Amino acid sequence: MKKYLKFFVVPVIACVSFYACGGDDDNDDPEPEKTEYRVKSVKFIRNYEDMNEANAEWDLWTYTYGADGKLTGMTYGGEDWTDTYTLTYTSGKITLARTGSDYSKTLDVDAKGNVIKAANMDKVGEDITFTYNSDGFMTRIFKVANGSSEEKCEFTIINGNVTSFYKYKNDIQRFKNFVYASGENTGNIYQAVNDSFFWGEWEGLLYAGIFGAPSKNLSTSVSWSDTPETVTNMSFEFETDGRVKRMKRTDNVKWFEYYDYTYEEITK
């Protein structure tokens, strides 16, 4: 398959008991306390040969935040390697740099903190631009090179969920369609945008909230328009408060993809 800042903060209502000190007016009871979380790490585990997790490959992204809540660092690695990235901010821009190398990318952001242009994102001389709707969802992705612009993906958003996007395979337009359950996406994980055009460090950066909003609900199945009979179902393991701990995509026979999430409490 197949990455200022608005951070996807998860409000979780803590279970707190309040006792009346007197009087009959219950309307004066204090509001329940809330604990807020943000994503601390995402681990992508996959095996396309069998169902043995011990034989799986994996990638891991971990995040460091500054006192102002902005993402300041990210590590991205596998079993025997790790790259470290830093993010610095100036007016309307983010600079993404990899420690120990000359890798450096300049990202232009809009007033909401969403990336609207990644200069030389994949190749020198090729910029990638992004558009968003008024609700903060990514709507289109373009590749800009040699003075021309080519659309790479377009997303359909209905009722706060990315229900499909299209991309091309061998010059054939293919739609990837997502079905959603009623359960709320409490942990604000990504299930659609990361399947479109994001990989490596870019997929990891999705969870910093700089490429638009995640879907409101959890997607439970997905299929491609050219093979509609092949449906991949998704299941979840949850934290006690409803945040997703593990997302599973598998045919339950030969292959699987798991995403494991950890969170950290935001101290105030």
Side-chain angles (χ1 to χ4, degrees), residues 5 52 55 61 66 88 117 131 133 135 137 142 145 160 163 171 180 205 207 215 236 244:
L5 283 178
N52 188 349
N55 296 333
W61 300 273
T88 55
K117 176 183 175 183
T131 63
N133 67 14
D135 294 321
F137 287 93
F142 296 88
T163 57
D171 295 325
Y180 288 84
L205 288 174
Y207 296 92
S215 292
F236 306 91
V244 173

Side-chain angles (χ1 to χ4, degrees), residues 160-221:
N161 292 316
V162 179
T163 57
S164 69
F165 67 78
Y166 73 72
K167 60 194 302 186
Y168 289 89
K169 181 178 181 180
N170 299 326
D171 295 325
I172 298 174
Q173 189 182 57
R174 306 172 72 218
F175 287 84
K176 196 165 193 176
N177 301 303
F178 297 82
V179 175
Y180 288 84
S182 59
E184 186 177 351
N185 181 12
T186 306
N188 287 310
I189 66 171
Y190 284 86
Q191 297 179 270
V193 175
N194 58 309
D195 265 359
S196 62
F197 196 76
F198 293 86
W199 62 92
E201 64 271 25
W202 300 103
E203 182 175 1
L205 288 174
L206 283 174
Y207 296 92
I210 60 177
F211 288 100
S215 292
K216 178 180 66 175
N217 300 109
L218 292 173
S219 175
T220 54
S221 68

Side-chain angles (χ1 to χ4, degrees), residues 69-230:
K70 293 180 180 179
L71 186 72
T72 57
M74 178 183 74
T75 62
Y76 167 49
E79 185 174 352
D80 56 1
W81 62 279
T82 301
D83 288 331
T84 301
Y85 296 85
T86 58
L87 293 88
T88 55
Y89 305 89
T90 55
S91 179
K93 294 184 183 295
I94 302 171
T95 300
L96 175 70
R98 186 169 63 218
T99 303
S101 76
D102 59 0
Y103 176 101
S104 180
K105 304 291 183 181
T106 299
L107 312 177
D108 294 350
V109 300
D110 62 17
K112 294 182 178 180
N114 287 318
V115 174
I116 55 177
K117 176 183 175 183
N120 305 312
M121 181 172 174
D122 189 29
K123 297 179 181 179
V124 174
E126 290 186 359
D127 299 338
I128 304 299
T129 63
F130 309 88
T131 63
Y132 304 85
N133 67 14
S134 59
D135 294 321
F137 287 93
M138 185 180 293
T139 54
R140 304 173 81 184
I141 302 175
F142 296 88
K143 181 175 74 173
V144 181
N146 301 318
S148 63
S149 179
E150 175 188 1
E151 186 176 55
K152 305 300 292 184
C153 289
E154 183 171 350
F155 302 88
T156 299
I157 298 97
I158 300 175
N159 296 326
N161 292 316
V162 179
T163 57
S164 69
F165 67 78
Y166 73 72
K167 60 194 302 186
Y168 289 89
K169 181 178 181 180
N170 299 326
D171 295 325
I172 298 174
Q173 189 182 57
R174 306 172 72 218
F175 287 84
K176 196 165 193 176
N177 301 303
F178 297 82
V179 175
Y180 288 84
S182 59
E184 186 177 351
N185 181 12
T186 306
N188 287 310
I189 66 171
Y190 284 86
Q191 297 179 270
V193 175
N194 58 309
D195 265 359
S196 62
F197 196 76
F198 293 86
W199 62 92
E201 64 271 25
W202 300 103
E203 182 175 1
L205 288 174
L206 283 174
Y207 296 92
I210 60 177
F211 288 100
S215 292
K216 178 180 66 175
N217 300 109
L218 292 173
S219 175
T220 54
S221 68
V222 61
S223 62
W224 284 101
S225 58
D226 55 346
T227 55
E229 71 284 355
T230 304

Side-chain angles (χ1 to χ4, degrees), residues 18-110:
F18 296 97
Y19 297 92
C21 298
D24 330 310
D25 190 356
D26 292 335
N27 293 328
D28 292 332
D29 288 346
E31 291 292 325
E33 293 182 1
K34 293 182 179 180
T35 301
E36 295 182 335
Y37 295 90
R38 58 193 171 204
V39 172
K40 179 61 178 177
S41 70
V42 181
K43 188 174 186 179
F44 174 45
I45 308 163
R46 68 270 185 195
N47 186 344
Y48 302 110
E49 300 298 328
D50 57 53
M51 298 297 295
N52 188 349
E53 190 170 343
N55 296 333
E57 298 179 347
W58 55 269
D59 294 331
L60 176 67
W61 300 273
T62 60
Y63 306 102
T64 302
Y65 301 91
D68 58 0
K70 293 180 180 179
L71 186 72
T72 57
M74 178 183 74
T75 62
Y76 167 49
E79 185 174 352
D80 56 1
W81 62 279
T82 301
D83 288 331
T84 301
Y85 296 85
T86 58
L87 293 88
T88 55
Y89 305 89
T90 55
S91 179
K93 294 184 183 295
I94 302 171
T95 300
L96 175 70
R98 186 169 63 218
T99 303
S101 76
D102 59 0
Y103 176 101
S104 180
K105 304 291 183 181
T106 299
L107 312 177
D108 294 350
V109 300
D110 62 17

